[in-house]
Amino acid sequence: MNIVLLGPPGSGKGTLAADLIRLYNFEYVSTGDIFRHNIREKTPLGLNASEYIHAGQLVPDHVTIAMIADHLKQPRTGSGILFDGFPRTVVQAEALDRMLMQMQTELHMVINLVVSKETVVERLSNRRLCVDCGRGYNLVSLPSKVPDICDQCGGDLIQRADDRPETIRTRLEHYRDSTKPLIAYYQEKAILTSIDNEGSIEAYTQRAADAIAKAQRMGKWRP
Ligand code: AP5
């Protein structure tokens, strides 16, 4: 089953993805993670993408689509693909439809995470990341055992450059103008399910699992 997670910055896409992978053994494709990996490794793609990401803007469609097309050439692992952060524009959504068709599969489900702007700002301003291994923390909901030190590798925890208040505002504007139109795009294809992504991580993971179970019952799961 191929699933897209749709939702504003900080809605919990990455957090939910980790639980869904554990539950369903999906292969994970996160454009944000791939870009950040390339920025850390200082590749030409990373150098190109970093100025857009640090400014809270979307990386141009042709760069993002080429990166995903390249990624999808790798042999498939897992029970399906879970896309986090891709597509983010209608042009990317159309490209994904074509790529999946070439792979003789399709997109089965889009889970749209609904949260308030206040929740987004609170979650993002408290998020921290390990500079070395990239593991995520949250000062309020998921603190490290020792302040500012990664539990996993001992690396320093930092705030993502695009999690500063002024950049969060820009990212939310891009979400509203470029990504939100995808809700109508997928509603028309009758594969969109919206879930309330407020409250605890356990509660929203259960809501997503219920939505996936419903899609399974409707025959959308073809392993
Ligand atoms: P990306 O990394 O995809 O950023 P994003 O979509 O803005 O999403 P985030 O990673 O900020 O948030 P999330 O929804 O995953 O929330 P999380 O689970 O971390 O992309 C970064 C940039 O790359 C983009 O701005 C753009 O420049 C570029 N880019 C990426 N894809 C692109 C594309 N397709 N086209 C063009 N450009 C692209 O949760 C947030 C925090 O909240 C965490 O600290 C978490 O621990 C905490 N939290 C989560 N749930 C709860 C809860 N229930 N209670 C309390 N805390 C919680």
Side-chain angles (χ1 to χ4, degrees):
M1 190 182 208
N2 302 315
I3 299 181
V4 162
L5 294 182
L6 199 63
S11 53
K13 299 182 294 297
T15 306
L16 175 61
D19 279 340
L20 295 182
I21 291 161
R22 186 176 45 76
L23 290 171
Y24 299 100
N25 188 33
F26 290 126
E27 178 184 344
Y28 184 46
V29 177
S30 157
T31 33
D33 283 358
I34 301 174
F35 283 135
R36 280 185 290 278
H37 171 79
N38 278 278
I39 291 171
R40 274 200 299 275
E41 297 296 316
K42 298 188 170 58
T43 68
L45 171 67
L47 293 174
N48 185 4
S50 68
E51 59 179 298
Y52 296 99
I53 293 180
H54 291 159
Q57 291 169 359
L58 293 185
V59 179
D61 281 337
H62 69 279
V63 175
T64 309
I65 291 168
M67 179 180 84
I68 291 295
D70 196 46
H71 189 88
L72 292 180
K73 284 183 193 146
Q74 293 169 15
R76 301 273 65 78
T77 58
S79 63
I81 308 174
L82 184 65
F83 293 94
D84 167 357
F86 184 85
R88 257 180 158 97
T89 64
V90 172
V91 171
Q92 292 181 15
E94 290 167 348
L96 179 62
D97 289 343
R98 287 193 297 274
M99 287 186 255
L100 291 174
M101 201 192 299
Q102 277 167 11
M103 293 159 63
Q104 299 183 327
T105 184
E106 62 187 315
L107 188 59
H108 301 100
M109 187 178 188
V110 176
I111 304 180
N112 176 39
L113 310 186
V114 181
V115 288
S116 68
K117 195 174 161 194
E118 292 71 32
T119 298
V120 160
V121 172
E122 210 242 304
R123 286 182 185 172
L124 291 183
S125 45
N126 288 308
R127 177 165 60 184
R128 295 294 180 270
L129 279 190
C130 174
V131 273
D132 293 331
C133 71
R135 183 167 174 177
Y137 294 86
N138 189 286
L139 295 180
V140 177
S141 58
L142 195 62
S144 56
K145 290 187 188 117
V146 178
D148 302 328
I149 302 290
C150 177
D151 295 346
Q152 189 163 270
C153 74
D156 290 334
L157 302 188
I158 53 154
Q159 185 170 41
R160 253 169 65 172
D162 58 348
D163 278 350
R164 303 207 173 95
E166 61 284 6
T167 319
I168 294 174
R169 258 196 308 278
T170 309
R171 287 163 67 199
L172 286 171
E173 282 164 15
H174 283 291
Y175 173 76
R176 184 196 60 208
D177 297 342
S178 303
T179 310
K180 228 174 166 185
L182 289 178
I183 294 176
Y185 180 87
Y186 286 124
Q187 251 164 355
E188 201 154 300
K189 291 178 180 283
I191 54 171
L192 185 104
T193 302
S194 292
I195 65 165
D196 170 8
N197 231 44
E198 300 277 353
S200 73
I201 295 168
E202 293 73 24
Y204 68 58
T205 299
Q206 188 57 53
R207 288 193 279 272
D210 290 345
I212 291 172
K214 189 171 169 199
Q216 280 178 298
R217 284 197 300 278
M218 289 164 67
K220 290 187 177 170
W221 180 283
R222 289 193 284 275

